[in-house]
């Protein structure tokens, strides 16, 4: 998307799971975009642009988009 900035994730690198089946929203909380993250509202509407359906939920089950604009990344910010 052409953004070369700190994504301002809450606590990246905080995930230490030897078992991938333990991945859940609580374990991924360090990878949520912070309130001032440049990822917020910087995504593309893939359905509108390319007729690709991104689904209704992000990686952790948050309905997307939270507002009318998508975020970049697999986790949508809830603080918009």
């Amino acid at each position: 998307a052409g953004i070369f900035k700190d994504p301002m994730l809450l606590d990246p690198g905080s995930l230490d799971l030897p078992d991938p089946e333990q991945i859940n929203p609580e374990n991924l909380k360090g990878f949520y975009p912070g309130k001032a993250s440049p990822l917020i509202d910087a995504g593309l509407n893939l359905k509108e642009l390319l007729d690709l359906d991104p689904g209704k939920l992000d990686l952790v089950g948050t309905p997307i988009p939270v507002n009318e604009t998508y975020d970049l990344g697999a986790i949508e910010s809830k603080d918009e």
Side-chain angles (χ1 to χ4, degrees):
I3 295 178
F4 297 98
K5 294 182 178 181
D6 178 352
M8 301 176 73
L9 302 177
L10 295 179
D11 190 17
S14 60
L15 184 65
D16 181 24
L17 290 176
D19 181 1
E21 291 187 17
Q22 293 178 351
I23 294 175
N24 60 49
E26 180 64 24
N27 291 334
L28 294 174
K29 65 184 176 185
F31 295 92
Y32 283 69
K35 289 183 181 186
S37 173
L39 303 177
I40 297 173
D41 293 341
L44 301 174
N45 185 330
L46 298 177
K47 181 70 173 168
E48 188 176 283
L49 294 171
L50 304 170
D51 199 31
L52 296 173
D53 185 2
K56 297 183 188 302
L57 304 174
D58 71 2
L59 181 67
V60 296
T62 303
I64 58 172
V66 167
N67 54 28
E68 294 181 19
T69 308
Y70 290 89
D71 293 350
L72 284 177
I75 300 177
E76 184 86 359
S77 173
K78 295 180 183 180
D79 295 325
E80 297 180 46

